Amino acid sequence: MDFGIKNRLSRIFSPRTGRTVMLAVDHGYFQGPTTGLRDFSNIIPLIPQADCLFVTRGILRNIIDPRTGAAICLRVSGGPSILGELSNEDLITSMEEAIRLNASGVGMSIFVGAKNEDRTISNLGRLINEANRYGMPVLAITAVGKDMGKDARYIGLACRIAAEIGAHIVKTYYCPGFEKVVEGCPVPIVIAGGKKMPEMEALRMTEEAVRAGAMGVDMGRNIFQSDSPMGMIKAVRAIVHKGATAEEAFGIYRKGVKSAAVPAPDGNMEKV
Ligand code: R5P
């Protein structure tokens, strides 16, 4: 691996712990203004807690402060909306654009076992060929459709394919037996959070994934749809970077809920 790729990876993965808390806020690229991501006012205060922001160029250009300290990983695939065939994605953002936006990585989805499987995997190959010319790490996301399983055999298959094609990082979903998935994948894996679940469950999943060898998270809804997004991102950070247990992290989240509920002197609710 050359200097450029290593240097960019060291912006995504903290050189202190080798792990990362990526905040995923790209959902609008197919879901539109989804819950928790309507106007980004609740996202901006969370950004300093993230090592990396996973985001589209539209949001980056229009909403994110260019002085941000968080690394940027740019979602570069898209096409269909939630109303269409999700796997029918193509590459929609160029490498030149990623470099112009000073991205530390680019990410796209592959749909293993779904319609358009072969095309999304060849898209990944094309993206990696292009990215390697410029020293740009590629994050491959193993999308899981409604009809696809979520067991270690299937997730392990999808992650290994992504790594074999040349992805530098793989994002996938946690499943029981995750050590097997990690064992079969020669590049770092981060987990997505998936649909919003009770905070304790999300923290437990994070702890189990990290114990099984995940190098962090690229998490969205379980942070920004929480009643305390700040409490939740700090709790997830404690697990990923400090080895906190889910119970310890839950205490951090609870503190966030309490302080979010404290009225500020001006009568408005004080931000955590
Ligand atoms: C899918 O829409 C995106 O790739 C998200 O970035 C990914 O699913 C992670 O977000 P969440 O934790 O909400 O699943």
Side-chain angles (χ1 to χ4, degrees), residues 4-232:
I5 291 214
K6 282 188 185 158
N7 184 254
R8 286 189 169 100
L9 284 171
S10 77
R11 301 264 299 116
I12 298 174
F13 292 92
S14 158
R16 275 187 307 107
T17 64
R19 293 189 182 146
T20 187
V21 173
M22 299 175 72
L23 178 61
V25 290
D26 60 316
H27 306 58
Y29 90 98
F30 72 100
Q31 290 187 343
T34 194
T35 311
L37 285 185
R38 291 201 166 266
D39 65 3
F40 273 71
S41 54
N42 58 334
I43 299 297
I44 305 297
L46 306 180
I47 297 176
Q49 300 294 327
D51 298 299
C52 180
L53 200 58
F54 189 58
V55 67
T56 60
R57 65 172 155 187
I59 294 296
L60 192 61
R61 282 234 177 82
N62 292 300
I63 297 185
I64 307 302
D65 186 336
R67 294 167 298 181
T68 181
I72 300 301
C73 189
L74 209 59
R75 151 76 67 179
V76 295
S77 66
S81 80
I82 194 156
L83 307 175
E85 169 52 55
L86 285 185
S87 68
N88 198 16
E89 285 198 355
D90 211 336
L91 293 172
I92 51 160
T93 303
S94 68
M95 195 54 57
E96 188 187 356
E97 178 85 317
I99 290 164
R100 182 180 302 123
L101 293 169
N102 200 29
S104 296
V106 291
M108 62 160 286
S109 304
I110 57 170
F111 291 77
V112 175
K115 241 184 182 176
N116 301 309
E117 167 190 88
D118 43 359
R119 196 156 52 76
T120 60
I121 294 175
S122 355
N123 283 345
L124 177 62
R126 280 197 291 126
L127 180 66
I128 292 167
N129 289 340
E130 182 77 344
N132 282 343
R133 290 175 59 199
Y134 298 98
M136 182 70 75
V138 175
L139 166 77
I141 302 149
T142 71
V144 177
K146 281 190 204 121
D147 309 325
M148 290 180 258
K150 259 200 192 180
D151 61 10
R153 204 155 159 231
Y154 169 74
I155 299 274
L157 168 79
C159 290
R160 178 59 173 264
I161 290 173
E164 296 264 355
I165 302 296
H168 306 90
I169 313 167
V170 175
K171 164 160 97 171
T172 194
Y173 292 87
Y174 178 74
C175 61
F178 203 70
E179 319 72 51
K180 288 271 166 224
V181 176
V182 173
E183 191 183 278
C185 181
V187 299
I189 298 184
V190 293
I191 59 152
K195 281 196 185 132
K196 172 76 178 72
M197 57 184 115
E199 278 73 8
M200 188 61 200
E201 271 177 45
L203 295 172
R204 205 159 268 144
M205 176 180 78
T206 306
E207 183 192 353
E208 283 168 14
V210 168
R211 274 188 202 281
M215 298 310 285
V217 300
D218 186 11
M219 192 176 274
R221 288 162 288 181
N222 279 288
I223 293 174
F224 61 69
Q225 291 178 354
S226 167
D227 56 358
S228 174
M230 183 61 88
M232 236 353 229

